Amino acid sequence: MQTSETGKTAELWNERLRHELAHPPFHAIFKPEAVGVDPSSGAIRIRVPYQEHFSASVENPFVHGGVVATLIDISAHAAVAVQTGRTSPTIDLRIDFLRPVPAAEIYATARPLRIGRTVARVDVEVTNAEGTVFAAGRGTFSTSGN
């Protein structure tokens, strides 16, 4: 059972995650949705509903790799920003595309490995609702506040 302090932390972090996803104008087009935050690990989960213009081509019923890369960057950044309370520019982003992503809603789970005074590192998995992993990414972000 959660203590009231843990519950308040979870509520605060979920509020921060919703803010991070609603704030940038680009997100009005991409439409990421907060699924939840785990305050004990700092992990966050985001859902992106499928949009027809996410397709790799008219004949190809798969999500374009750029959409997957964007989801990895947005979710990793959000995992850092939820904890630091401010924006954290991307320094480096690495993505492994493991299999084609079908034309359906996709999820990202971002797990911070380290959030330091100047740099943060986050691992991300992109999945479907059932948990099939389509891509894995790692982002490095500036936390120096400059």
Side-chain angles (χ1 to χ4, degrees):
M1 184 169 181
Q2 285 187 332
T3 66
S4 62
E5 186 174 319
T6 303
K8 287 179 186 175
T9 300
E11 183 179 319
L12 175 63
W13 283 27
N14 277 297
E15 184 179 315
R16 285 183 185 167
L17 177 58
R18 286 189 297 274
H19 171 77
E20 285 302 321
L21 297 180
H23 187 65
F26 171 67
H27 293 192
I29 297 165
F30 198 66
K31 302 186 186 313
E33 302 170 358
V35 174
V37 178
D38 177 0
S40 64
S41 69
I44 62 121
R45 188 157 166 84
I46 294 173
R47 174 187 174 272
V48 174
Y50 177 73
Q51 299 176 48
E52 192 173 295
H53 53 269
F54 285 175
S55 294
S57 72
V58 176
E59 303 83 26
N60 189 342
F62 297 104
V63 175
H64 189 282
V67 172
V68 175
T70 299
L71 178 57
I72 289 171
D73 188 36
I74 285 172
S75 60
H77 172 268
V80 175
V82 161
Q83 290 192 43
T84 63
R86 63 180 184 274
T87 190
S88 299
T90 306
I91 295 171
D92 187 51
L93 190 64
R94 175 180 167 36
I95 301 163
D96 293 323
F97 297 97
L98 306 174
R99 60 177 53 99
V101 181
E105 69 182 8
I106 52 177
Y107 293 80
T109 301
R111 295 175 182 88
L113 300 175
R114 178 182 192 284
I115 298 186
R117 190 173 47 82
T118 58
V119 174
R121 169 89 37 99
V122 181
D123 278 351
V124 181
E125 286 185 348
V126 175
T127 67
N128 59 12
E130 293 76 33
T132 303
V133 178
F134 298 105
R138 174 171 281 180
T140 305
F141 298 85
S142 171
T143 57
S144 63
N146 292 337

